[in-house]
Amino acid sequence: MKAYVRTSPATQEVQLQEVDIPKINADEVLIKVEAFGVGIHDRYFIPSEVKFPYVIGSEGAGTIIEKGNEVSDFNIGEKVIFTTILQIHGGSWAEYAVAKQSVLIRLPNNLTVQQGAALPIAGKTALECMREINSNKGDSLFIAGASGAIGTLVIQLAKEKGMRISASASAKNHDYMKSLGAEHTVDYKDPEWTTKVKQWSNGGVSTALAIQPGTGSDSIKVVKDGGLLITVSGDSQTVIPERNIEVRQMGHQLFTNKEMIELVRKISEEKINLVIEKQFPFSEALEALKKTETRSARGKVVVKGFNNN
């Protein structure tokens, strides 16, 4: 099969190569990949001990074409959303991918495979953010880097809980973030943005969520005394605590697919808007990766499957 692979542990270079179709275990399925999501981690987020070339990728959607003898909840021919995080036998950036039954979610008939592929990583992270926030109706939330795949979901989930939201992104995305539920927006390039958030929130927000790397130290400035700062990209160790503010790194937690299935349902019923900025053909997947690595996006970038261009 054709697949995008890391060629060695010594370099993060990704190449399109011909590799063997992976074999499934008893609790796994083989999926014909019809679309896969693109994340900033895809180039380097691989297991520590793997054989090279190693197929990259963490998420996708497609059709089950083979299943192990312990797979009872899904059938050959069903379209599914799946994750392939840190699998020894490779990821989703390929014609075919293996996934465990435990991570599969049925793709609703009214969602495209591109929408399905955009969901697993951003959706799970957004749900984990909301679990960490754990705020009440009327509480104020500031989201740093809110126009991307995670932020656009968090805006809507927080709005659903009755929170008041201020969000930062480049100016071109402000109207869009407001359409999703943000009450207040600021441009992170504006030297006065922290002052504007504090003015909007009467001195400081209850909670700040720093999604983008490097935003934690500035985001703590807009949190009220005794409030909470949650970092998503590992900034918590670089943030100097102040004013009795709790600084917490979002934890990736094990949980069943129940919450993700509920999120997929809300998206299929158009209660939550899934934002896809751009779809790339399979042949341009490396361009999609480079675009995502700029960290300047509105929603998610996805790549169509090899035979789905």
mmCIF file of all heavy atoms in Angstrom, residues 86-111:
data_model
loop_
_atom_site.group_PDB
_atom_site.id
_atom_site.type_symbol
_atom_site.label_atom_id
_atom_site.label_comp_id
_atom_site.label_asym_id
_atom_site.label_seq_id
_atom_site.Cartn_x
_atom_site.Cartn_y
_atom_site.Cartn_z
ATOM 1 N N LEU A 86 -0.050 6.043 18.702
ATOM 2 C CA LEU A 86 1.089 5.286 19.224
ATOM 3 C C LEU A 86 0.963 3.780 19.018
ATOM 4 O O LEU A 86 1.369 2.985 19.860
ATOM 5 C CB LEU A 86 1.287 5.596 20.719
ATOM 6 C CG LEU A 86 1.643 7.045 21.062
ATOM 7 C CD1 LEU A 86 1.770 7.216 22.563
ATOM 8 C CD2 LEU A 86 2.921 7.494 20.369
ATOM 9 N N GLN A 87 0.419 3.376 17.881
ATOM 10 C CA GLN A 87 0.340 1.953 17.570
ATOM 11 C C GLN A 87 1.677 1.445 17.036
ATOM 12 O O GLN A 87 2.284 2.082 16.180
ATOM 13 C CB GLN A 87 -0.745 1.688 16.526
ATOM 14 C CG GLN A 87 -2.152 1.864 17.039
ATOM 15 C CD GLN A 87 -3.195 1.371 16.049
ATOM 16 O OE1 GLN A 87 -4.294 1.039 16.442
ATOM 17 N NE2 GLN A 87 -2.880 1.338 14.767
ATOM 18 N N ILE A 88 2.084 0.306 17.490
ATOM 19 C CA ILE A 88 3.340 -0.282 17.033
ATOM 20 C C ILE A 88 3.310 -0.540 15.527
ATOM 21 O O ILE A 88 4.305 -0.342 14.822
ATOM 22 C CB ILE A 88 3.635 -1.592 17.790
ATOM 23 C CG1 ILE A 88 3.879 -1.293 19.279
ATOM 24 C CG2 ILE A 88 4.851 -2.301 17.182
ATOM 25 C CD1 ILE A 88 5.094 -0.423 19.545
ATOM 26 N N HIS A 89 2.143 -0.989 15.008
ATOM 27 C CA HIS A 89 2.089 -1.301 13.579
ATOM 28 C C HIS A 89 1.569 -0.152 12.718
ATOM 29 O O HIS A 89 1.062 -0.367 11.624
ATOM 30 C CB HIS A 89 1.306 -2.594 13.296
ATOM 31 C CG HIS A 89 0.018 -2.725 14.040
ATOM 32 N ND1 HIS A 89 -0.542 -3.942 14.303
ATOM 33 C CD2 HIS A 89 -0.803 -1.819 14.587
ATOM 34 C CE1 HIS A 89 -1.662 -3.788 14.980
ATOM 35 N NE2 HIS A 89 -1.845 -2.504 15.151
ATOM 36 N N GLY A 90 1.719 1.073 13.192
ATOM 37 C CA GLY A 90 1.534 2.221 12.314
ATOM 38 C C GLY A 90 0.234 2.974 12.450
ATOM 39 O O GLY A 90 -0.688 2.549 13.146
ATOM 40 N N GLY A 91 0.192 4.132 11.753
ATOM 41 C CA GLY A 91 -0.921 5.053 11.874
ATOM 42 C C GLY A 91 -1.829 5.111 10.660
ATOM 43 O O GLY A 91 -1.897 4.184 9.846
ATOM 44 N N SER A 92 -2.500 6.258 10.530
ATOM 45 C CA SER A 92 -3.613 6.408 9.587
ATOM 46 C C SER A 92 -3.248 7.018 8.244
ATOM 47 O O SER A 92 -4.079 7.049 7.336
ATOM 48 C CB SER A 92 -4.695 7.277 10.237
ATOM 49 O OG SER A 92 -4.173 8.560 10.577
ATOM 50 N N TRP A 93 -2.007 7.497 8.078
ATOM 51 C CA TRP A 93 -1.633 8.159 6.830
ATOM 52 C C TRP A 93 -1.280 7.132 5.757
ATOM 53 O O TRP A 93 -0.149 7.044 5.304
ATOM 54 C CB TRP A 93 -0.448 9.090 7.073
ATOM 55 C CG TRP A 93 -0.788 10.387 7.729
ATOM 56 C CD1 TRP A 93 -1.563 10.585 8.821
ATOM 57 C CD2 TRP A 93 -0.317 11.683 7.346
ATOM 58 N NE1 TRP A 93 -1.616 11.911 9.154
ATOM 59 C CE2 TRP A 93 -0.852 12.614 8.258
ATOM 60 C CE3 TRP A 93 0.525 12.144 6.332
ATOM 61 C CZ2 TRP A 93 -0.599 13.972 8.182
ATOM 62 C CZ3 TRP A 93 0.784 13.502 6.254
ATOM 63 C CH2 TRP A 93 0.218 14.400 7.167
ATOM 64 N N ALA A 94 -2.268 6.362 5.353
ATOM 65 C CA ALA A 94 -2.010 5.248 4.447
ATOM 66 C C ALA A 94 -3.300 4.837 3.752
ATOM 67 O O ALA A 94 -4.388 5.322 4.063
ATOM 68 C CB ALA A 94 -1.444 4.067 5.231
ATOM 69 N N GLU A 95 -3.157 3.917 2.795
ATOM 70 C CA GLU A 95 -4.337 3.374 2.132
ATOM 71 C C GLU A 95 -5.161 2.519 3.087
ATOM 72 O O GLU A 95 -6.389 2.464 2.990
ATOM 73 C CB GLU A 95 -3.925 2.532 0.926
ATOM 74 C CG GLU A 95 -3.420 3.321 -0.263
ATOM 75 C CD GLU A 95 -3.190 2.425 -1.460
ATOM 76 O OE1 GLU A 95 -4.186 1.976 -2.063
ATOM 77 O OE2 GLU A 95 -2.011 2.161 -1.773
ATOM 78 N N TYR A 96 -4.469 1.816 3.998
ATOM 79 C CA TYR A 96 -5.134 0.940 4.956
ATOM 80 C C TYR A 96 -4.529 1.148 6.329
ATOM 81 O O TYR A 96 -3.339 1.426 6.462
ATOM 82 C CB TYR A 96 -4.981 -0.532 4.545
ATOM 83 C CG TYR A 96 -5.523 -0.829 3.175
ATOM 84 C CD1 TYR A 96 -4.667 -0.837 2.068
ATOM 85 C CD2 TYR A 96 -6.873 -1.103 2.971
ATOM 86 C CE1 TYR A 96 -5.158 -1.100 0.796
ATOM 87 C CE2 TYR A 96 -7.368 -1.357 1.698
ATOM 88 C CZ TYR A 96 -6.503 -1.352 0.617
ATOM 89 O OH TYR A 96 -6.984 -1.595 -0.635
ATOM 90 N N ALA A 97 -5.356 0.998 7.363
ATOM 91 C CA ALA A 97 -4.880 1.160 8.733
ATOM 92 C C ALA A 97 -5.571 0.153 9.634
ATOM 93 O O ALA A 97 -6.696 -0.286 9.370
ATOM 94 C CB ALA A 97 -5.137 2.576 9.239
ATOM 95 N N VAL A 98 -4.889 -0.207 10.712
ATOM 96 C CA VAL A 98 -5.431 -1.111 11.724
ATOM 97 C C VAL A 98 -5.891 -0.287 12.924
ATOM 98 O O VAL A 98 -5.243 0.687 13.315
ATOM 99 C CB VAL A 98 -4.357 -2.127 12.161
ATOM 100 C CG1 VAL A 98 -4.812 -2.897 13.396
ATOM 101 C CG2 VAL A 98 -4.053 -3.090 11.026
ATOM 102 N N ALA A 99 -7.022 -0.679 13.511
ATOM 103 C CA ALA A 99 -7.499 -0.018 14.732
ATOM 104 C C ALA A 99 -8.159 -1.055 15.633
ATOM 105 O O ALA A 99 -8.764 -2.022 15.152
ATOM 106 C CB ALA A 99 -8.482 1.093 14.401
ATOM 107 N N LYS A 100 -8.053 -0.836 16.922
ATOM 108 C CA LYS A 100 -8.702 -1.719 17.884
ATOM 109 C C LYS A 100 -10.211 -1.458 17.911
ATOM 110 O O LYS A 100 -10.658 -0.324 17.720
ATOM 111 C CB LYS A 100 -8.119 -1.508 19.279
ATOM 112 C CG LYS A 100 -6.686 -2.000 19.429
ATOM 113 C CD LYS A 100 -6.220 -1.872 20.867
ATOM 114 C CE LYS A 100 -4.806 -2.420 21.042
ATOM 115 N NZ LYS A 100 -4.748 -3.877 20.764
ATOM 116 N N GLN A 101 -10.968 -2.506 18.187
ATOM 117 C CA GLN A 101 -12.417 -2.361 18.286
ATOM 118 C C GLN A 101 -12.805 -1.307 19.317
ATOM 119 O O GLN A 101 -13.759 -0.555 19.132
ATOM 120 C CB GLN A 101 -13.050 -3.700 18.656
ATOM 121 C CG GLN A 101 -14.549 -3.625 18.882
ATOM 122 C CD GLN A 101 -15.160 -4.955 19.254
ATOM 123 O OE1 GLN A 101 -16.169 -5.354 18.702
ATOM 124 N NE2 GLN A 101 -14.547 -5.669 20.203
ATOM 125 N N SER A 102 -12.027 -1.203 20.398
ATOM 126 C CA SER A 102 -12.371 -0.311 21.504
ATOM 127 C C SER A 102 -12.344 1.164 21.134
ATOM 128 O O SER A 102 -12.921 1.996 21.845
ATOM 129 C CB SER A 102 -11.421 -0.555 22.686
ATOM 130 O OG SER A 102 -10.071 -0.316 22.294
ATOM 131 N N VAL A 103 -11.668 1.534 20.026
ATOM 132 C CA VAL A 103 -11.567 2.951 19.668
ATOM 133 C C VAL A 103 -12.494 3.319 18.511
ATOM 134 O O VAL A 103 -12.519 4.476 18.084
ATOM 135 C CB VAL A 103 -10.117 3.351 19.304
ATOM 136 C CG1 VAL A 103 -9.172 3.028 20.444
ATOM 137 C CG2 VAL A 103 -9.659 2.670 18.004
ATOM 138 N N LEU A 104 -13.254 2.378 18.008
ATOM 139 C CA LEU A 104 -14.088 2.639 16.836
ATOM 140 C C LEU A 104 -15.384 3.354 17.213
ATOM 141 O O LEU A 104 -15.991 3.068 18.243
ATOM 142 C CB LEU A 104 -14.436 1.331 16.125
ATOM 143 C CG LEU A 104 -13.269 0.484 15.608
ATOM 144 C CD1 LEU A 104 -13.803 -0.802 14.984
ATOM 145 C CD2 LEU A 104 -12.425 1.262 14.607
ATOM 146 N N ILE A 105 -15.804 4.256 16.353
ATOM 147 C CA ILE A 105 -17.103 4.925 16.472
ATOM 148 C C ILE A 105 -17.772 4.867 15.107
ATOM 149 O O ILE A 105 -17.143 5.170 14.088
ATOM 150 C CB ILE A 105 -16.947 6.395 16.911
ATOM 151 C CG1 ILE A 105 -16.300 6.488 18.291
ATOM 152 C CG2 ILE A 105 -18.305 7.106 16.919
ATOM 153 C CD1 ILE A 105 -15.983 7.911 18.714
ATOM 154 N N ARG A 106 -19.016 4.464 15.070
ATOM 155 C CA ARG A 106 -19.734 4.430 13.791
ATOM 156 C C ARG A 106 -19.886 5.842 13.231
ATOM 157 O O ARG A 106 -20.208 6.768 13.967
ATOM 158 C CB ARG A 106 -21.102 3.781 13.953
ATOM 159 C CG ARG A 106 -21.034 2.280 14.119
ATOM 160 C CD ARG A 106 -22.408 1.643 14.229
ATOM 161 N NE ARG A 106 -22.271 0.185 14.274
ATOM 162 C CZ ARG A 106 -22.000 -0.505 15.387
ATOM 163 N NH1 ARG A 106 -21.878 0.147 16.551
ATOM 164 N NH2 ARG A 106 -21.871 -1.819 15.349
ATOM 165 N N LEU A 107 -19.656 5.969 11.942
ATOM 166 C CA LEU A 107 -19.820 7.256 11.276
ATOM 167 C C LEU A 107 -21.290 7.443 10.920
ATOM 168 O O LEU A 107 -21.852 6.648 10.157
ATOM 169 C CB LEU A 107 -18.972 7.302 10.009
ATOM 170 C CG LEU A 107 -19.027 8.603 9.200
ATOM 171 C CD1 LEU A 107 -18.288 9.713 9.943
ATOM 172 C CD2 LEU A 107 -18.430 8.402 7.814
ATOM 173 N N PRO A 108 -21.940 8.475 11.468
ATOM 174 C CA PRO A 108 -23.343 8.716 11.113
ATOM 175 C C PRO A 108 -23.513 8.915 9.607
ATOM 176 O O PRO A 108 -22.624 9.440 8.933
ATOM 177 C CB PRO A 108 -23.686 10.002 11.884
ATOM 178 C CG PRO A 108 -22.723 10.024 13.024
ATOM 179 C CD PRO A 108 -21.453 9.436 12.476
ATOM 180 N N ASN A 109 -24.663 8.497 9.090
ATOM 181 C CA ASN A 109 -24.900 8.563 7.646
ATOM 182 C C ASN A 109 -24.822 9.972 7.090
ATOM 183 O O ASN A 109 -24.476 10.161 5.915
ATOM 184 C CB ASN A 109 -26.265 7.951 7.315
ATOM 185 C CG ASN A 109 -26.307 6.452 7.546
ATOM 186 O OD1 ASN A 109 -25.271 5.780 7.463
ATOM 187 N ND2 ASN A 109 -27.478 5.924 7.860
ATOM 188 N N ASN A 110 -25.139 10.970 7.923
ATOM 189 C CA ASN A 110 -25.167 12.349 7.417
ATOM 190 C C ASN A 110 -23.848 13.084 7.606
ATOM 191 O O ASN A 110 -23.764 14.283 7.344
ATOM 192 C CB ASN A 110 -26.301 13.140 8.061
ATOM 193 C CG ASN A 110 -26.157 13.263 9.566
ATOM 194 O OD1 ASN A 110 -25.582 12.393 10.206
ATOM 195 N ND2 ASN A 110 -26.678 14.336 10.127
ATOM 196 N N LEU A 111 -22.807 12.383 8.057
ATOM 197 C CA LEU A 111 -21.480 12.981 8.140
ATOM 198 C C LEU A 111 -20.584 12.378 7.063
ATOM 199 O O LEU A 111 -20.656 11.185 6.780
ATOM 200 C CB LEU A 111 -20.846 12.750 9.513
ATOM 201 C CG LEU A 111 -21.484 13.443 10.717
ATOM 202 C CD1 LEU A 111 -20.640 13.190 11.971
ATOM 203 C CD2 LEU A 111 -21.643 14.931 10.485
#
